[in-house]
Amino acid sequence: MTAAAPLETETVRAECSYGHEALIVEGMHCASCAARVERVLARRRGVQSVEVNYATHHAQLAYEPRMFDLEAATAALGKLGYRLKPVSREAEAQADAEHERAQRDWLKRVWLSLPLAAIVVVLVYGFPNHAWARWLALVLTLPVEFVAGWPILSSGLQRARHMSANMDTLIALGTLTAFAYSTVHLLVGGDLFYDTTVVIMAFIVLGRYFETRATGRASGAIRALLELGAKQARVLVDRQERLVAVEEVTVGAIVRVRPGEKIPVDGEVLDGRSAVDESMLTGESLPVEKTPGDKVAGATINAEGALTIRATAVGANTALAQIVRLIEGAQSHKAPVQRLADRVASIFVPLVLVIAGVTLLGWWLVAGDASQGLVAAVAVLIIACPCAMGLATPTAIMTGTGRGAALGVLIKSPEVLERSRRIDTVIFDKTGTLTTGKMQLGDVIAAEGENAVVLLERAASVEASSEHPLAAAIVAGAHDHGIEILPARDFASSTGRGATAIVDDVRVSVGRRSFIAEHGRELDERLDRRTVDAELDGQTAVFVAWDGWVRGALGVGDRPKPNAAQTVGRLRAMGLDVALITGDNRHTADAVAREVGIDTILAEVLPADKAGEVRRLQEQGKRVAVVGDGINDAPALAQADLGVAIGTGTDVAIEASDLTLISGDIGGVVTALELSRRTLRTIHQNLAWACGYNLAAIPLAAFGILPPIAAGAIMAASSVSVVSNSLRLFRFGPTNAQPVEGRADAHPLPAAPSENPPLAA
């Protein structure tokens, strides 16, 4: 034991000493609210880091438990009008219910304010000198301002009592100023601005309704995922089925799933065969065949036969629950671009108050028109609300990550979106990533005068008694071609080299070149040449001999996945360089690379050196994404600028990655990169609009060009526009590029008889 061990232990203990808390924040009305809550929490003793997300109303808190007092922090925020609640299933359900009630409440306020606002406009402009119309305008303005707009006024006034400001402060100050000014003029004579008050408030209320509705849809991806799970399970107890709530199922329980039912928990198939619809997890539309020994995931649908499974994960440990946690984490954390927007929003409201004051004084002192100065100042207060800025990033992230989950792509953090834009090189691991990871029968090479069907039939009959992966591939290939496995006797094997058995009263030898040579078999020149070609194509040659002659050879190899060439072609069409990295020999790597269209090959790389190869490319200025599925890929995934794990791979690889493809379909790499880039582009579009309209509109309002009514309409529309733009991501779908063909002279895998003619010599 070296002296470093205790120091390492202390380091781990120090890193793990921080507590982490996910909280729901109630009472936030804009991005400046989120910034204020974040500042208050960040100043508390013992807080290491805090992130408050306005769109999700969640706060992520890291703190020193011995120093931080959560109750005191909650009380401090309570004085400012905000409420903290720990995140729980019950709290989330309550928050969802409150969100729906808020949506209905805002709709009622819309129906109250719009008709009355229209009447007030007619009264102010149609009958400006009639006393009855002027007084009626006041009466109709009261319910719009103080009933329909009460949530906004009360929020603004509450912030003012605590010497703080938010977007509601601007709206309340603007509309109340116009209302008070009009009331004074009603009594002493002069122009009325009740139309400004009611129309602005009506637009704001309408905007709040659409905003609440849209953000509810954006955050609905997690709720939709949670609803996918089964509610009940058929548990076998004493060979009898009992229908119980899924929460009561324990690990190890035996569960029966009938055709058409949802699989309630993650498990392993014990009995039965069926096709399972896994589209909700993987995005794949075709059902997957399941037989005894296969894994199944909860919430997937058993499409055909009955299955008996043993529960291996329940509750929070199921694949669905882990996916939900990943999405929640991605949606709750902030992208770097959002932090900049939050800092701007935090100083924006006080700055706007100053600009409005300067506008009023400027018109009054310079132009001598206090009335026009008041109108311009109100317009400045209304147009400058930073709500759109606060919604620009989180709504896009929420929608993008939710859509990704539906397509089988898990984005672990918002930072991934920004890194994906800079990627210029994609490196694929070979085995299990570009290839199937399973040995398959390739070329069937019969010697001159021999029958390929007989060759495969006798080889498979011998190998049926072996458990070697090459033997299993040969037997499976024979089954695919409808070839019968004949009885074999007197079986003998040499571990890893070959086997012999008597088939059709003939001693048949199947094995490597050296094994066949030891048994005195001779190989003719033509067969030797064709076999070398197969080996150069990445296949392992298995020779078949009887009666003193080698009758042929079978090529067995790990073949590329069906869509590997198409995926490589689509990545190249995106302007990316594509490379292959593998620990296999150069011949095998070259063969796979040629077939899928990859030019850059890193072969015979030891697992420990994969991360070094990635680092070497990074030192050359490359931005590297690595796609892998095994434990030996984990260091390279962690070293890469973007790590993409195949979800069918190991937990270690998935943990080390930034993106996870839930299925084994590598086409998801293109989907993941396209979705990440589309989401980031949407964020930039939202921020450009949110900042751009403010920068353009505030000077127009200050100089009296933009009236308050138009300012209210534009401000309400800005928030709705950024949310609506984000919701377009729900329509995202992978592009369909043309596949890139492999080598024209590549040896194809033999197909089943229904697809191709029978094997021939």
Side-chain angles (χ1 to χ4, degrees), residues 59-81:
Q60 298 290 331
L61 195 64
Y63 59 91
E64 169 57 61
R66 293 172 297 180
M67 299 171 63
F68 178 69
D69 188 340
L70 181 58
E71 291 185 4
T74 303
L77 285 173
K79 294 178 181 178
L80 299 176

Side-chain angles (χ1 to χ4, degrees), residues 33-244:
C33 288
R36 183 166 181 79
V37 172
E38 197 166 275
R39 284 199 307 273
V40 170
L41 290 175
R43 291 170 182 166
R44 305 297 299 184
R45 185 168 176 265
V47 172
Q48 181 197 30
S49 65
V50 60
E51 287 186 348
V52 179
N53 191 311
Y54 167 50
T56 63
H57 283 226
H58 277 198
Q60 298 290 331
L61 195 64
Y63 59 91
E64 169 57 61
R66 293 172 297 180
M67 299 171 63
F68 178 69
D69 188 340
L70 181 58
E71 291 185 4
T74 303
L77 285 173
K79 294 178 181 178
L80 299 176
Y82 305 109
R83 297 172 298 281
L84 290 183
K85 290 182 179 178
V87 172
S88 65
R89 185 64 60 87
E90 294 75 18
E92 291 282 19
Q94 183 179 350
D96 289 341
E98 289 179 359
H99 190 279
E100 291 176 4
R101 283 197 298 271
Q103 185 175 324
R104 291 193 299 269
D105 183 60
W106 283 116
L107 182 59
K108 292 176 183 176
R109 296 176 190 278
V110 168
W111 287 118
L112 173 64
S113 60
L114 285 180
L116 295 181
I119 296 172
V120 170
V121 171
V122 172
L123 292 173
V124 170
Y125 287 98
F127 307 94
N129 300 316
H130 292 71
W132 65 268
R134 292 164 66 90
W135 282 99
L136 183 57
L138 167 63
V139 172
L140 297 182
T141 298
L142 290 172
V144 176
E145 178 74 3
F146 297 101
V147 177
W150 180 246
I152 296 168
L153 296 180
S154 62
S155 171
L157 293 172
Q158 188 176 35
R159 298 296 179 272
R161 283 203 304 270
H162 297 285
M163 301 300 293
S164 64
N166 67 351
M167 121 175 203
D168 289 341
T169 306
L170 301 181
I171 298 171
L173 190 57
T175 57
L176 287 174
T177 301
F179 176 81
Y181 189 79
S182 299
T183 303
V184 171
H185 277 208
L186 177 64
L187 297 174
V188 302
D191 294 333
L192 302 182
F193 296 101
Y194 287 132
D195 57 313
T196 298
T197 300
V198 294
V199 172
I200 288 173
M201 190 59 77
F203 277 136
I204 298 301
V205 168
L206 181 63
R208 285 290 175 86
Y209 166 69
F210 282 124
E211 180 185 314
T212 304
R213 181 180 174 185
T215 53
R217 184 182 170 197
S219 61
I222 292 179
R223 289 197 299 274
L225 279 174
L226 290 171
E227 289 299 318
L228 289 174
K231 303 299 184 290
Q232 294 180 311
R234 301 179 188 277
V235 179
L236 291 181
V237 180
D238 297 329
R239 298 186 180 181
Q240 298 294 319
E241 287 186 13
R242 277 182 50 200
L243 197 61
V244 302

Side-chain angles (χ1 to χ4, degrees), residues 437-443 456 459-478 494-499 510-513 515 535 538-544 554-559:
K438 295 171 60 178
M439 303 300 284
Q440 300 178 50
L441 178 64
D443 294 344
L456 182 55
S461 299
V462 173
E463 296 287 43
S465 300
S466 173
E467 296 181 355
H468 194 278
L470 293 178
I474 292 170
V475 174
S494 175
T495 304
R497 299 179 67 244
V510 183
R512 297 183 181 274
R513 187 186 299 263
F515 179 79
E535 290 175 330
Q539 300 180 67
T540 298
V542 178
F543 296 90
V544 185
L554 307 176
V556 180
D558 181 12
R559 309 301 297 179

Side-chain angles (χ1 to χ4, degrees), residues 270-350:
L270 298 179
D271 186 45
R273 303 175 67 93
S274 181
V276 174
D277 180 0
E278 297 182 336
S279 58
M280 54 76 57
L281 277 180
T282 65
E284 294 294 325
S285 57
L286 293 177
V288 180
E289 293 293 327
K290 299 293 182 181
T291 58
D294 289 339
K295 304 292 184 182
V296 292
T300 55
I301 299 174
N302 181 25
E304 295 178 356
L307 291 175
T308 301
I309 67 173
R310 177 190 292 111
T312 57
V314 298
N317 295 319
T318 61
L320 178 63
Q322 293 174 31
I323 290 170
V324 169
R325 283 199 298 274
L326 280 171
I327 298 174
E328 286 178 334
Q331 292 184 348
S332 296
H333 289 85
K334 296 180 181 179
V337 68
Q338 185 184 349
R339 296 191 181 99
L340 175 60
D342 285 350
R343 285 197 295 272
V344 172
S346 67
I347 63 173
F348 201 67
V349 173

Side-chain angles (χ1 to χ4, degrees), residues 396-449:
I397 290 174
M398 290 161 63
T399 309
T401 53
R403 181 58 181 156
L407 295 172
V409 177
L410 293 185
I411 301 171
K412 290 190 175 182
S413 70
E415 288 83 355
V416 171
L417 303 175
E418 299 198 27
R419 275 186 270 146
S420 69
R421 180 186 59 171
R422 297 190 293 269
I423 294 300
D424 55 33
T425 303
V426 179
I427 300 178
F428 283 96
D429 172 53
K430 184 181 75 69
T431 307
T433 302
L434 268 182
T435 66
T436 63
K438 295 171 60 178
M439 303 300 284
Q440 300 178 50
L441 178 64
D443 294 344
V444 178
I445 307 168
E448 190 171 358

Side-chain angles (χ1 to χ4, degrees), residues 628-715:
D629 73 327
I631 291 175
N632 62 349
D633 299 321
L637 289 170
Q639 173 65 37
D641 298 286
L642 184 71
V644 182
I646 304 295
T648 51
T650 65
D651 292 341
V652 175
I654 294 172
E655 186 66 28
S657 69
D658 302 302
L659 287 169
T660 298
L661 310 180
I662 304 174
S663 72
D665 180 11
I666 61 170
V669 175
V670 181
T671 301
L673 292 176
E674 287 181 342
L675 177 59
S676 296
R677 292 180 175 190
R678 182 77 63 82
T679 302
L680 188 64
R681 187 159 65 247
T682 300
I683 291 172
H684 290 159
Q685 290 169 352
N686 289 349
L687 287 173
W689 164 249
C691 296
Y693 101 91
N694 268 319
L695 293 174
I698 289 177
L700 295 178
F703 286 102
I705 300 172
L706 187 69
I709 291 176
I714 294 173
M715 195 282 292

